[in-house]
Amino acid sequence: MPLPFDARHLRRPGHSVPVSPADMAGRVAQFADLQPDMGAFPDIKDSRHARTVWYLLSPEGLAGEPSPIRAPHGFHMAVMRMPKGMRPSTHAHPYNEVFMPLDARFRFYYGDDEAHSVEVGRYGVISVPGGVMRTFENLDDHDAHVLVIFDTPGDPHTDMLISPRDYENFYKDGWVPGVEASG
């Protein structure tokens, strides 16, 4: 007789892997203690694209500093705060990006020239496929936060594609992380 469930879902008795309080402390990120990474993106201080980024989890700190959780994981996690109407430069990553608006509605624009869009409400989730050009904006009348998961264990800022318009504005003159773009 076949089992009424997937046999891989069976449970077995066992014991915890040991972890010290010091090791567990290195796996905790308290939002109130985080420092923003103001050099994460070349357009972050531009008045048209202003936002604040806090990395909660970044294996070996590859996404940027400071990141309190640096243990090996297959992804990076950050929170962005954005005023109403601000948008990051339009770009694509070679991996999936997952977004969850926390305290406002966000509109996600995707495709060349942001040809398509979808609105995502509080605690909704959108997973943007790797290689898809995208940007997004806070639709509500207050600064709002969105949780971001970069679905790569490597440096999430490598191998990015930038829209031709934003390339001219922020990258053409050889932007370097932590150094403001010229122009």
Side-chain angles (χ1 to χ4, degrees), residues 46-160:
D46 180 87
S47 63
R48 295 165 295 167
H49 304 287
R51 61 201 182 281
T52 306
V53 178
W54 295 272
Y55 286 102
L56 302 152
L57 184 154
S58 177
E60 300 177 29
L62 289 173
E65 294 297 332
S67 176
I69 302 175
R70 299 167 64 94
H73 286 80
F75 62 94
H76 301 264
M77 181 184 293
V79 169
M80 285 188 195
R81 179 180 63 209
M82 297 174 54
K84 179 179 181 164
M86 293 294 154
R87 291 187 189 184
S89 296
T90 303
H91 65 277
H93 294 274
Y95 51 82
N96 298 324
E97 281 184 291
V98 179
F99 298 90
M100 177 190 284
L102 300 176
D103 52 7
R105 297 168 301 124
F106 279 76
R107 178 160 302 281
F108 291 82
Y109 301 87
Y110 60 96
D112 287 332
D113 300 318
E114 298 103 34
H116 308 284
S117 70
V118 61
E119 184 177 314
V120 180
R122 294 178 54 215
Y123 305 115
V125 173
I126 182 172
S127 175
V128 179
V132 172
M133 288 287 188
R134 59 87 182 147
T135 189
F136 53 94
E137 69 180 313
N138 168 12
L139 298 176
D140 289 347
D141 289 327
H142 57 84
D143 286 1
H145 300 82
V146 60
L147 178 72
V148 184
I149 297 173
F150 303 95
D151 192 9
T152 180
D155 183 341
H157 300 134
T158 59
D159 298 323
M160 292 172 57

